Amino acid sequence: MKHAVTFQLHKTDTRTKARRGTLFTPHGRIETPVFMPVGTQATVKAIKTDAVRHLGAEGAHILLANTYHLYLRPGHEIIREAGGLHAFMNWDGAILTDSGGFQVFSLGDLRKITEEGVAFRSHIDGSAHMFTPEKSIEVQQALGADIIMAFDECAPYPADRSYVEQSLQRTTRWLQRCKQHHRNEDRQSLFGIMQGGMYSDLRRQSAEQIVELDLPGYAIGGLSVGEPKPLMYEVLDACVDYLPAEKPRYLMGVGSPDCLFEGVERGIDLFDCVLPTRIARNGTAFTSRGRVSVKNAKYARDFGPLDPNCDCDTCRNYSLAYLRHLYKADEILSSMLLTEHNLYFLVHTMEQIRKSIEEDRFLEYKKTFLEGGGGCE
Amino acid sequence: MKHAVTFQLHKTDTRTKARRGTLFTPHGRIETPVFMPVGTQATVKAIKTDAVRHLGAEGAHILLANTYHLYLRPGHEIIREAGGLHAFMNWDGAILTDSGGFQVFSLGDLRKITEEGVAFRSHIDGSAHMFTPEKSIEVQQALGADIIMAFDECAPYPADRSYVEQSLQRTTRWLQRCKQHHRNEDRQSLFGIMQGGMYSDLRRQSAEQIVELDLPGYAIGGLSVGEPKPLMYEVLDACVDYLPAEKPRYLMGVGSPDCLFEGVERGIDLFDCVLPTRIARNGTAFTSRGRVSVKNAKYARDFGPLDPNCDCDTCRNYSLAYLRHLYKADEILSSMLLTEHNLYFLVHTMEQIRKSIEEDRFLEYKKTFLEGGGGCE
């Protein structure tokens, strides 16, 4: 059987687990490691797809969209009728959809978990719905992304060992149901998700169960859920070792600049995060000197760029003083210019990371970047 | 003395007062008649200047910005230090600033008029300020627009004849003070503003007084302030006849598609209006078939374009169903895509109007356009 998405590993760093690869999808090839901008509601917030396509030197080639949100609004059937998500949102690059699992678990009192699936109420109108592994796959097939994700439970932090163990085992049973229900493997590839909380042996148990299903890619879920970063890195270190080297590895929901370096160093290929677009709308930018809040009064007469080391359109053409004015005046252009910058910053940084791996100087690049202040924790 | 802005009249229609001309400014030439997008706070809301520059086939070449708003925030001195408005907002085309008169008069209880000027309180923080003709000119010189406007009073509608007469005479005295205070005529051109409400003889009186000052251009103020459109057209008919043919004529604050045709027919060269950008943010579009509200439930599964006769990026790449989804989901991209469409629609329509005048078929084009439903009243 031909898989929709395949992965080719070009090189592994000699001193770390960092690696250079290429992901081949029905909508083009993606050089890894890569950061995927998030388009929750079938739009990366405050930026047009043609601008996303031209971020950095090579452009962004894969986006993430959200099954829960699109199922509720506009409805996956409408997107199916539109010809799928690519056509609907005018994006001819690749798309990954999450399963909706993370969102329905985040609903708290509005959801109830059983072996069958999760009953929940819409955050929009309170209407009652049920997501099962089968339903999630059906919705994701209607959306038509290149990579679809298994329906899983992301255990909270902190959580009892016994809860985490039961939860990861249910996640495995749900993954088996997802795989069973998934039909068009030549057009969409199903990735499994490892869980297991902060317990290294449970991570191993989860990995062994999901790897057995021989899927085209694996994600690490349940990290960056409130735990301290050193703990996350420790767990991540172990996680990666339980996954097969020849398959792509996706660290879900992680994307601050420092975490990208730490993730790459530990062998991660794919990242996504709402942070760059969310903080942009809040007037905050990632820069090579650390986070900058354009609200700051000291920028009122700063006619220099947001980041003198950045070549994005925002940094080439607009001043900090102007960006501050736009934010204070509540102008949409503020969100637009900062979103473009933040995404460019991450896409560009990943390009530099890829190059540094190719040239055997990943650790040196990481050191320079973080010592310059670009980590933006 | 060399004027910053000059006007060349190429042709007047044989059957109407419609005319084709060119405005030469320190920031390029502008073919007239023209619609000027409004960038109140040093940004055309929800669109980048490079996109504004590429609207229609020929692009937009002149924007309007707002003295009152920029004086209060970020402050005209900051914009002066930035190198003027063009540099501050990254726009190398021409700019026209209004005088702030219209905005301070709109403040109602927050302002008090005397012969000296207008004392007012900021709508942002309630702080006390005073605009005089001299102050308005100073602020506009700091902003550095190519065309600056006289500080005038726009009389309300309806208004007593005696009030309108006193008001227009004060506007003339203020214009004399503006001209007196204006120094750098080789870099910025001062346009006078005709007032006189709905009284044809007062319009004549105002025109005679301001034309005597031999300014490089004249605006018609005090229309589209709540009066019925037939009355506006009737007054406008008279107004234009009192203005010299060799100077450009600017109809302030008017820009719905039907009014553009009626204004051009009566000899107007310049228009501006917040309508296209404002209604865009409210989910409404001008189209060749009339106004379309993307909110409408009937568009939920309409995978065709907003306007099948439009070549803008929005109409070429996105469906009504997608635009409706974005609006309902409260996505910034909704405002972005509809703003781009609405501005394109007006810029394109003005291009077609110019061509129709050149080819002696303005009235035919107007008839076709309005009968098709494009008037969008």
Side-chain angles (χ1 to χ4, degrees):
Chain A
M1 181 199 55
K2 187 181 160 291
H3 276 297
V5 171
T6 56
F7 181 66
Q8 191 181 345
L9 182 61
H10 305 310
K11 175 175 183 175
T12 300
D13 193 25
T14 47
R15 293 171 291 169
T16 70
K17 299 182 206 166
R19 44 201 231 155
R20 260 296 275 122
T22 303
L23 205 61
F24 297 89
T25 81
H27 289 86
R29 50 189 284 169
I30 294 125
E31 301 306 322
T32 66
V34 70
F35 172 79
M36 304 182 284
V38 179
T40 306
Q41 301 192 109
T43 158
V44 182
K45 290 185 192 293
I47 186 167
K48 289 174 66 170
T49 44
D50 53 356
V52 172
R53 178 58 100 179
H54 293 102
L55 291 167
E58 300 171 22
H61 298 269
I62 181 165
L63 299 182
L64 190 141
N66 200 292
T67 293
Y68 166 80
H69 285 94
L70 295 173
Y71 160 80
L72 289 179
R73 189 169 58 191
H76 56 294
E77 289 300 345
I78 284 180
I79 293 178
R80 189 206 301 273
E81 288 171 39
L85 206 42
H86 299 81
F88 189 59
M89 68 185 289
N90 185 37
W91 172 254
D92 63 3
I95 299 177
L96 180 153
T97 42
D98 72 358
S99 67
F102 184 79
Q103 279 69 34
V104 294
F105 281 99
S106 306
L107 288 171
D109 290 348
L110 290 174
R111 52 87 177 154
K112 186 163 178 281
I113 312 170
T114 60
E115 181 65 23
E116 174 63 12
V118 182
F120 63 95
R121 289 191 176 275
S122 158
H123 74 285
I124 300 168
D125 62 8
S127 54
H129 302 267
M130 175 94 184
F131 264 4
T132 60
E134 292 78 10
K135 180 74 185 180
S136 172
I137 294 298
E138 283 164 22
V139 174
Q140 291 186 82
Q141 285 178 343
L143 300 177
D146 303 85
I147 300 173
I148 65 177
M149 299 304 298
F151 189 68
D152 67 328
E153 179 183 1
C154 174
Y157 174 83
D160 286 347
R161 186 189 157 83
S162 64
Y163 181 86
V164 173
E165 186 166 13
Q166 285 170 31
S167 166
L168 83 85
Q169 289 171 355
R170 186 168 51 210
T171 286
T172 299
R173 292 191 296 276
W174 284 358
L175 174 59
Q176 289 161 340
R177 287 165 57 190
C178 284
K179 192 185 177 195
Q180 190 73 21
H181 206 71
H182 179 46
R183 289 282 175 265
N184 52 351
E185 285 169 0
D186 56 327
R187 287 186 289 120
Q188 299 186 291
S189 278
L190 172 67
F191 280 21
I193 303 175
M194 179 208 288
Q195 291 291 348
M198 305 302 152
Y199 303 95
S200 179
D201 60 322
L202 297 184
R203 287 282 170 181
R204 175 173 212 148
Q205 186 185 130
S206 175
E208 285 171 355
Q209 293 175 2
I210 65 175
V211 168
E212 198 168 299
L213 297 175
D214 191 26
L215 297 162
Y218 297 98
I220 298 167
L223 289 182
S224 193
V225 289
E227 77 282 11
K229 282 190 179 179
L231 176 57
M232 174 174 118
Y233 298 146
E234 187 190 318
V235 176
L236 187 57
D237 249 335
C239 286
V240 171
D241 294 335
Y242 307 137
L243 294 172
E246 70 279 11
K247 299 290 175 70
R249 304 161 183 160
Y250 162 29
L251 178 56
M252 304 182 83
V254 171
S256 66
D258 56 332
C259 289
L260 293 180
F261 280 91
E262 299 299 336
V264 167
E265 184 169 345
R266 287 164 179 79
I268 297 298
D269 307 300
L270 302 159
F271 300 85
D272 82 283
C273 193
V274 296
L275 203 61
T277 45
R278 179 172 293 164
I279 66 174
R281 298 193 302 283
N282 195 30
T284 303
F286 294 136
T287 80
S288 60
R289 297 175 296 188
R291 284 204 198 197
V292 167
S293 168
V294 302
K295 293 169 261 197
N296 202 310
K298 73 180 174 192
Y299 299 130
R301 288 178 148 82
D302 189 331
F303 302 112
L306 177 56
D307 187 345
N309 298 315
C310 179
D311 281 325
C312 82
D313 192 63
T314 300
C315 290
R316 281 188 292 108
N317 294 306
Y318 301 90
S319 66
L320 265 166
Y322 183 66
L323 293 171
R324 177 173 192 269
H325 163 63
L326 291 179
Y327 184 84
K328 302 283 284 183
D330 205 17
E331 285 285 354
I332 287 174
L333 192 62
S334 171
S335 296
M336 293 166 63
L337 295 180
L338 290 176
T339 294
E340 188 169 342
H341 167 80
N342 281 349
L343 289 177
Y344 185 103
F345 185 82
L346 294 189
V347 167
H348 171 76
T349 299
M350 290 307 270
E351 287 172 355
Q352 296 303 111
I353 286 177
R354 290 198 294 273
K355 212 167 156 217
S356 76
I357 298 170
E358 290 164 11
E359 297 171 357
D360 276 325
R361 50 175 184 77
F362 169 71
L363 282 177
E364 289 74 13
Y365 176 56
K366 179 188 171 196
K367 186 161 181 277
T368 307
F369 185 94
L370 296 180
E371 284 179 0
C376 308
E377 291 195 41
Chain B
M1 182 202 54
K2 187 181 162 289
H3 276 296
V5 172
T6 56
F7 182 66
Q8 192 180 344
L9 182 62
H10 305 308
K11 176 175 182 176
T12 301
D13 192 26
T14 47
R15 293 170 292 168
T16 71
K17 298 181 206 167
R19 47 201 231 153
R20 260 296 275 121
T22 303
L23 205 60
F24 297 89
T25 81
H27 289 86
R29 49 188 287 170
I30 294 126
E31 302 305 322
T32 66
V34 70
F35 172 78
M36 304 182 284
V38 178
T40 305
Q41 301 192 108
T43 158
V44 182
K45 289 184 194 297
I47 186 169
K48 289 174 66 170
T49 44
D50 53 356
V52 172
R53 177 58 100 182
H54 294 103
L55 292 167
E58 299 171 23
H61 298 270
I62 181 167
L63 299 182
L64 190 141
N66 200 291
T67 293
Y68 165 80
H69 286 93
L70 295 174
Y71 160 80
L72 289 178
R73 189 169 58 194
H76 56 294
E77 289 301 344
I78 284 180
I79 294 178
R80 189 206 302 274
E81 289 171 39
L85 205 41
H86 298 81
F88 188 60
M89 68 185 288
N90 184 37
W91 172 252
D92 63 0
I95 299 176
L96 180 153
T97 42
D98 72 357
S99 67
F102 184 79
Q103 279 70 33
V104 294
F105 282 100
S106 305
L107 289 171
D109 290 347
L110 290 173
R111 52 85 177 157
K112 186 163 177 280
I113 312 170
T114 59
E115 182 64 23
E116 174 62 12
V118 182
F120 63 95
R121 289 189 176 278
S122 159
H123 74 285
I124 301 169
D125 61 8
S127 54
H129 302 266
M130 175 94 184
F131 264 4
T132 61
E134 292 79 10
K135 179 74 185 179
S136 172
I137 294 299
E138 284 164 22
V139 174
Q140 291 186 81
Q141 285 178 343
L143 299 177
D146 304 85
I147 300 173
I148 64 177
M149 299 303 298
F151 189 69
D152 67 326
E153 179 185 358
C154 174
Y157 174 83
D160 286 346
R161 187 189 158 82
S162 64
Y163 181 86
V164 173
E165 187 165 12
Q166 286 170 31
S167 165
L168 83 85
Q169 288 171 357
R170 186 170 51 211
T171 285
T172 299
R173 292 191 296 276
W174 284 357
L175 174 59
Q176 288 161 339
R177 286 166 56 191
C178 284
K179 192 186 176 192
Q180 190 73 24
H181 205 71
H182 179 46
R183 289 282 175 263
N184 53 350
E185 285 169 358
D186 57 327
R187 288 186 291 121
Q188 298 185 292
S189 278
L190 172 68
F191 280 21
I193 303 175
M194 180 209 288
Q195 291 290 349
M198 305 302 151
Y199 304 95
S200 179
D201 60 322
L202 296 184
R203 287 281 170 180
R204 177 173 210 147
Q205 187 186 126
S206 174
E208 285 171 354
Q209 293 174 3
I210 66 173
V211 168
E212 200 168 296
L213 297 176
D214 192 25
L215 296 162
Y218 297 97
I220 297 167
L223 289 181
S224 194
V225 289
E227 77 281 12
K229 282 191 178 179
L231 176 56
M232 174 174 115
Y233 298 146
E234 187 190 317
V235 176
L236 186 58
D237 250 333
C239 287
V240 172
D241 294 335
Y242 308 137
L243 293 173
E246 71 278 12
K247 299 290 175 67
R249 303 158 182 162
Y250 162 29
L251 178 56
M252 304 181 82
V254 171
S256 66
D258 56 330
C259 288
L260 293 180
F261 280 91
E262 300 298 336
V264 166
E265 184 169 347
R266 287 163 179 81
I268 297 298
D269 307 300
L270 302 159
F271 299 86
D272 82 283
C273 193
V274 296
L275 203 61
T277 45
R278 179 173 293 163
I279 67 174
R281 297 193 303 283
N282 194 31
T284 303
F286 294 136
T287 80
S288 61
R289 298 175 296 188
R291 284 204 198 197
V292 166
S293 168
V294 302
K295 293 168 262 196
N296 202 312
K298 74 180 173 193
Y299 299 130
R301 288 180 147 83
D302 189 331
F303 302 111
L306 177 56
D307 186 345
N309 298 314
C310 180
D311 281 325
C312 82
D313 190 63
T314 301
C315 290
R316 280 188 291 107
N317 294 307
Y318 301 91
S319 66
L320 264 166
Y322 184 65
L323 293 171
R324 177 174 191 269
H325 163 64
L326 292 179
Y327 183 84
K328 301 283 283 184
D330 205 17
E331 285 286 353
I332 287 174
L333 192 62
S334 171
S335 295
M336 292 166 63
L337 295 180
L338 290 176
T339 294
E340 187 167 343
H341 166 81
N342 281 351
L343 289 177
Y344 185 103
F345 185 82
L346 294 189
V347 167
H348 171 77
T349 299
M350 289 307 270
E351 286 172 354
Q352 297 302 111
I353 286 178
R354 290 198 294 274
K355 212 168 156 215
S356 77
I357 298 171
E358 290 164 9
E359 296 171 356
D360 277 324
R361 50 175 184 78
F362 169 72
L363 282 177
E364 290 74 11
Y365 176 55
K366 178 188 171 194
K367 187 161 181 278
T368 307
F369 185 94
L370 296 180
E371 284 179 0
C376 307
E377 290 194 42

